[in-house]
Amino acid sequence: MHDALTGLLARRTVAERETWRSLWDQLGDGKLPAEQAVTLLASLTTRLPDPATLAALHASLLERRPARPGPAWPASVNIVGTGGGPATFNVSTAAAFVAAATGVRVVKTGSRAYTSSLGSVDLLERLGVRLTSSYEQTQEDLERDGIAFAGPFVYPAELTRLARTVAPLGMKAFGRFLNALGPFLADLPVTAQVTGVSHTMPLDDLRTLADTITTCSVWLTTNDRGADELLGFADNTIHQGHGRQVHIRAGQWTTADGGFEALAPAPKGEAVDHFLAVLGGRAHPAATATVRLNAAALALAGGLHTQWSTALAATDEAVTSGAAVALAQRLRTRRRAPLATGAAHHG
C-alpha cells in the first residue's frame, strides 16, 4: 500500500509533498489499484486529516492544475459553497446573477448535486446556460456579460482520474471530502472568493487551509443555523482570513422573517421558474433577501462597494429593475452547454 495511505489510515501526519506527488503519479500512470483509490477517498471522507497533512495534500493537487492565463482578472470574485447543510435552492448561483447585475465581475464555480436535489451545474444545464471550457472562454464571457460559469477544466485532472479508477462505485459516497476541499481546488485568476461553510464541515481546518491561499482573498461564511450561505434570519460570521471576522446579526441588513421553508428547493420540474422568480423578487421575500445578502457580500469582497448599506441597495435595484432576470435570460439565449463532466462536486 502506498505510504500516503498507510499514513492516513494510521492517523499519522503525511506532510511531505513528495509522498503525495508519488501517489498522484501512480494514479496518472494507471498503477494505483482501485482498492487503494477507494481507501484514499474513504479515509478522507470519514475524517479530514490533520492540518499539516491537509495542507500538503492540497498543495500537491494545486501544482497539478492547468497553467493560469497570467495576472488575476481585476475586481473579480467567485462564490461557491461546501454544501452539506440544510436543503435550500441554489442560493449561491442566484447571488452570482444578482451581484453581476449590479456590476460585480463574477466567475462562478460549482458542481452537480451530492446532497441537494440540484447542484449549480444541474441548474445551469436546465437554464440552458453554458459552462466555459477554457480560461480564454471564461475571460471572454466575463468581459461580455460580467459573469462566467467555469467548467471542470479548472480542477486538477486527478479528481477525474480518481472517479475513473473507482468506477463503477462512483464518487457520490465520497461527497463530504470533495465538498470540503473542492472549493479550494478550482484555479481561477480571481481576486476574491466567498465560500459558504455548512455545519457539517470542519470549519477550523478550512480556515487554516484558506489562510495558506495567497492568490486571492478568501472569505468563509458561517451561521448559527448550519447553512453554507449567509441568512437574514440567522446570526452570521464572515471569516476574512488570519483571524479577521465580521458578524452580521439576524435582521441586521435584511428581514429576519422566514426560515428554511422559504429557502426550500423547488421540485426539479419547477426549479427554473422558481429560480427566475427569486431573481425577479416574485418568490418568498426571505428567499430574495437571502440572495441579496449573499450578492452584497460578493460586491464587498470584490471591492465594488465598501459598505453593506450601499451594496444591498444595489442588489435591491438589480432585483426590482429586472436586471438580474434579464441577465439570466440573456445567457439562456446563447448556445447550450454540452453535458458537463468532472469529479469535483460541491455547491
Side-chain angles (χ1 to χ4, degrees):
M1 183 173 289
H2 194 278
D3 289 345
L5 301 182
T6 56
L8 286 178
L9 293 176
R11 301 300 179 192
R12 295 197 307 266
T13 297
V14 186
E16 300 78 17
R17 195 180 302 185
E18 189 56 44
T19 301
W20 291 104
R21 287 172 177 158
S22 169
L23 180 73
W24 305 133
D25 287 343
Q26 285 192 21
L27 176 67
D29 293 340
K31 297 178 180 178
L32 187 73
E35 59 271 18
Q36 292 196 34
V38 171
T39 298
L40 169 68
L41 290 168
S43 175
L44 294 171
T45 299
T46 301
R47 188 178 73 179
L48 285 182
D50 62 88
T53 299
L54 185 61
L57 165 62
H58 180 251
S60 72
L61 284 171
L62 295 190
E63 66 186 16
R64 305 177 83 91
R65 296 177 303 188
R68 277 185 165 203
W73 297 320
S76 57
V77 59
N78 175 25
I79 179 172
V80 59
T82 62
T88 64
F89 68 91
N90 302 83
V91 171
S92 65
T93 306
F97 277 106
V98 172
T102 73
V104 181
R105 290 159 56 86
V106 181
V107 184
K108 174 84 175 75
T109 57
S111 70
R112 295 195 182 278
Y114 266 136
T115 56
S116 60
S117 59
L118 287 175
S120 61
V121 169
D122 303 306
L123 175 66
L124 291 169
E125 188 174 79
R126 287 170 181 262
L127 279 167
V129 175
R130 67 171 186 159
L131 303 180
T132 63
S133 58
S134 68
Y135 287 112
E136 293 75 18
Q137 190 180 76
T138 304
Q139 185 170 10
E140 177 185 323
D141 283 6
L142 183 63
E143 295 296 335
R144 181 185 58 234
D145 302 312
I147 190 170
F149 297 92
F153 75 93
V154 297
Y155 295 101
E158 283 67 27
L159 299 181
T160 299
R161 292 190 182 113
L162 278 171
R164 291 172 179 165
T165 301
V166 303
L169 178 60
M171 299 289 276
K172 190 167 186 176
F174 312 115
R176 183 175 183 274
F177 163 68
L178 294 170
N179 280 348
L181 199 60
F184 304 96
L185 289 176
D187 190 22
L188 283 169
V190 293
T191 55
Q193 177 169 307
V194 177
T195 297
V197 180
S198 74
H199 72 285
T200 65
M201 298 297 167
L203 174 61
D204 289 343
D205 291 342
L206 296 185
R207 288 178 62 188
T208 299
L209 182 61
D211 284 346
T212 68
I213 296 175
T214 59
T215 54
C216 69
S217 64
V218 179
W219 290 8
L220 304 182
T221 68
T222 61
N223 56 69
D224 62 356
R225 301 293 296 274
D228 68 338
E229 53 257 331
L230 297 172
L231 302 174
F233 54 82
D235 290 335
N236 306 272
T237 301
I238 302 177
H239 304 271
Q240 296 182 330
H242 303 285
R244 298 186 301 272
Q245 296 181 357
V246 172
H247 301 283
I248 302 174
R249 300 184 307 275
Q252 180 175 352
W253 292 115
T254 65
T255 176
D257 296 336
F260 286 117
E261 66 279 1
L263 307 183
K268 290 184 179 180
E270 303 171 15
V272 169
D273 288 342
H274 176 261
F275 186 77
L276 295 174
V278 171
L279 294 186
R282 295 178 285 105
H284 193 290
T288 299
T290 296
V291 169
R292 289 180 53 232
L293 186 61
N294 286 273
L298 293 183
L300 292 164
L304 186 63
H305 291 275
T306 59
Q307 302 294 327
W308 282 95
S309 57
T310 58
L312 282 161
T315 65
D316 182 54
E317 174 65 19
V319 171
T320 58
S321 70
V325 171
L327 175 60
Q329 295 288 23
R330 186 164 69 248
L331 267 60
R332 296 184 75 190
T333 65
R334 305 200 195 284
R335 64 181 178 85
R336 287 180 177 269
L339 186 65
T341 59
H345 293 256
H346 44 88

